[in-house]
Amino acid sequence: AGTLPMFYCDGEVYKPLKSELEGIFYRNITQWLPSMQPFIPTYSGMQCLDVQSDLSAVLSHHDTGAVVNNAWSQQMFEKNKHRITKMPYLRLEDLTSRYRKPCILDLKIGTRHFAPVCKTDKMQRKLRKAWKSTCRDFGVRIGGLQSYDAKEDTYHTLCKHNAAVLDKNAFCAQLVQFFKHMPDAHMMHAVVAKLTTLMQILKHETRFRWFSCSLLFTYEGATADDDAAVVSTNVNMATDDDNDNDNDSHSHSHQQVVDLRLIDFTNFVVVQEYLDALQLKHTDSLRAKSDSDIHNSSGDEQQKNGGVTLQLSQELDNLHEPDHGILFGLQSLIKLLSELQMTHTIKTRNDAEWQHFTSTLSHSKMALRPFSTITSL
């Protein structure tokens, strides 16, 4: 679903380092929050590559049948390969290498998908994009999708541009389409359990903001009848054992072929790092209400910095509040996928019914607060 090309070699993905924030995340997160380790890709360090000279000798662009079928991946590689000629790369676990017919769903989660420090017009643009998508309704939108239909022996793909225009019911139809192809209905239990475990971790975590992150769901699309499902048993995965004592061996066995990870930490926020700046921003804001000169000088300061300014909120970004955006997305998914698990579908609703759905989610009010700052739609 992303725009910068990635490469793989020997079971690892080489991902261009887009911001130092992402490097900080991978170097420290397992010490800061050990319970998150099963939900993030394994990190093997960084490597600087000269793509022009190293590519043919070290790396190769994805050439498996699954990726060839993904037109978006091929398009982004051809369009943006010039942007990664000389830059550092994160070496991460390839989350799809163990599958023969990988089914992949990338969901952008939360309501704030911008850097903590950026230009205000960029922040506004990102908020408008989220507002016009299902992030407004569910705290998630589809970033990309690939599912395998074993009966038809074909892949179904959806790129982020087409996904961006989905309304609420069309979004839910895509969820149903993706998860209905899982080889066994019992696997839905594992999906909901993993989401619930992740939410339990993050609802008590106030030190971080997970701006621009995505949830990545993967499972094996090949069935036993295909004699093609190859699943590694020594993969670091979150299991239901962390959440309950499920003794259903049939359900437990299928946990090994459905995975959930949190990815894309380009705009990861360590709240402590911005507390002083947030206090200063708050003080200046109060002064500006009674002193237009100070207000103008603040504007001049932004101009000196090229329009770049702190885009965090003292109300939302402090050490007492969790990240309501990501929790809103997790709550929505748990509710929608629990419905899918129990009824084998997600029912079509009208606008009033969807509004009621959102209002029942405890994190929705705070998660939607940033949208009140949008200057125009």
Side-chain angles (χ1 to χ4, degrees):
T3 56
L4 288 184
M6 295 190 295
F7 307 96
Y8 79 96
C9 180
D10 298 331
E12 289 186 332
V13 168
Y14 287 67
K15 181 181 185 292
L17 181 67
K18 295 174 67 175
S19 80
E20 181 55 29
L21 295 175
E22 189 163 28
I24 291 172
F25 172 87
Y26 276 110
R27 289 194 297 271
N28 295 282
I29 192 60
T30 55
Q31 286 77 41
W32 288 340
L33 191 56
S35 56
M36 279 296 293
Q37 186 167 0
F39 290 100
I40 60 175
T42 301
Y43 171 63
S44 301
M46 291 178 55
Q47 184 170 342
C48 290
L49 297 172
D50 182 345
V51 174
Q52 300 284 9
S53 59
D54 294 347
L55 182 58
S56 59
V58 180
L59 305 172
S60 63
H61 182 242
H62 281 286
D63 59 1
T64 64
V67 178
V68 168
N69 277 280
N70 191 329
W72 176 256
S73 174
Q74 203 69 28
Q75 178 186 342
M76 288 300 99
F77 176 72
E78 295 301 328
K79 180 179 179 180
N80 295 310
K81 59 185 178 182
H82 66 283
R83 296 170 58 189
I84 57 168
T85 53
K86 290 184 179 181
M87 64 188 307
Y89 284 76
L90 297 163
R91 292 173 54 197
L92 303 172
E93 171 190 3
D94 183 352
L95 299 174
T96 65
S97 63
R98 62 185 179 274
Y99 302 122
R100 288 293 298 276
K101 300 292 184 181
C103 295
I104 307 165
L105 173 62
D106 181 313
L107 294 178
K108 181 71 74 177
I109 190 164
T111 51
R112 293 187 284 179
H113 305 143
F114 45 82
V117 178
C118 65
K119 292 184 178 180
T120 297
D121 60 350
K122 181 174 183 178
M123 179 272 289
Q124 289 279 318
R125 186 171 67 253
K126 295 289 188 178
L127 280 177
R128 285 193 291 271
K129 182 177 180 180
W131 177 259
K132 293 178 180 179
S133 76
T134 54
C135 288
R136 172 185 178 181
D137 311 291
F138 304 127
V140 289
R141 69 169 183 260
I142 295 176
L145 181 154
Q146 172 180 288
S147 62
Y148 175 70
D149 187 334
K151 292 182 179 179
E152 300 294 330
D153 191 26
T154 59
Y155 279 97
H156 164 68
T157 61
L158 181 69
C159 73
K160 68 177 183 179
H161 294 309
N162 292 333
V165 299
L166 296 176
D167 64 17
K168 296 177 283 293
N169 288 310
F171 169 84
C172 291
Q174 289 293 335
L175 290 185
V176 174
Q177 167 84 7
F178 178 78
F179 288 109
K180 79 174 185 180
H181 288 304
M182 290 193 298
D184 194 294
H186 289 83
M187 291 166 63
M188 275 307 303
H189 172 77
V191 172
V192 174
K194 292 175 193 293
L195 286 168
T196 302
T197 299
L198 182 57
M199 183 166 179
Q200 289 298 316
I201 294 170
L202 296 183
K203 76 177 185 179
H204 299 295
E205 180 50 65
T206 63
R207 295 171 295 171
F208 311 123
R209 298 296 177 267
W210 310 82
F211 290 6
S212 307
C213 290
S214 293
L215 291 173
L216 192 74
F217 297 85
T218 59
Y219 67 85
E220 177 60 80
T223 64
D225 291 340
D226 297 325
D227 194 29
V230 178
V231 183
S232 174
T233 59
N234 58 347
V235 178
N236 176 26
M237 298 176 61
T239 69
D240 289 350
D241 292 338
D242 297 324
N243 190 53
D244 58 32
N245 294 317
D246 185 4
N247 291 319
D248 184 347
S249 60
H250 183 66
S251 176
H252 181 75
S253 66
H254 283 289
Q255 293 177 53
Q256 304 309 311
V257 290
V258 60
D259 196 10
L260 167 64
R261 305 293 179 102
L262 198 61
I263 62 170
D264 296 339
F265 305 100
T266 301
N267 296 323
F268 177 73
V269 177
V270 180
V271 175
Q272 182 70 46
E273 306 255 330
Y274 299 94
L275 290 181
D276 290 344
L278 273 168
Q279 182 58 47
L280 180 61
K281 179 182 177 182
H282 178 67
T283 302
D284 286 348
S285 177
L286 292 177
R287 289 175 179 171
K289 290 180 180 179
S290 58
D291 190 333
S292 59
D293 290 336
I294 293 179
H295 176 72
N296 290 335
S297 68
S298 177
D300 291 342
E301 188 64 29
Q302 284 192 38
Q303 191 65 33
K304 290 178 183 178
N305 294 330
V308 173
T309 188
L310 183 64
Q311 302 297 349
L312 301 182
S313 158
Q314 199 171 47
E315 177 189 19
L316 297 174
D317 304 310
N318 56 68
L319 295 178
H320 305 289
E321 297 287 340
D323 187 330
H324 293 284
I326 195 170
L327 293 172
F328 173 40
L330 290 170
Q331 275 188 317
S332 297
L333 286 172
I334 290 169
K335 192 167 184 177
L336 290 171
L337 296 182
S338 293
E339 180 179 324
L340 177 58
Q341 179 187 355
M342 291 185 293
T343 68
H344 307 292
T345 190
I346 300 174
K347 73 174 185 178
T348 300
R349 294 169 168 85
N350 59 36
D351 286 344
E353 290 171 325
W354 280 124
Q355 187 173 6
H356 174 72
F357 175 96
T358 300
S359 69
T360 63
L361 304 175
S362 60
H363 292 279
S364 63
K365 184 176 180 180
M366 292 291 280
L368 296 174
R369 193 67 59 85
F371 292 130
S372 64
T373 66
I374 299 178
T375 55
S376 63
L377 287 173

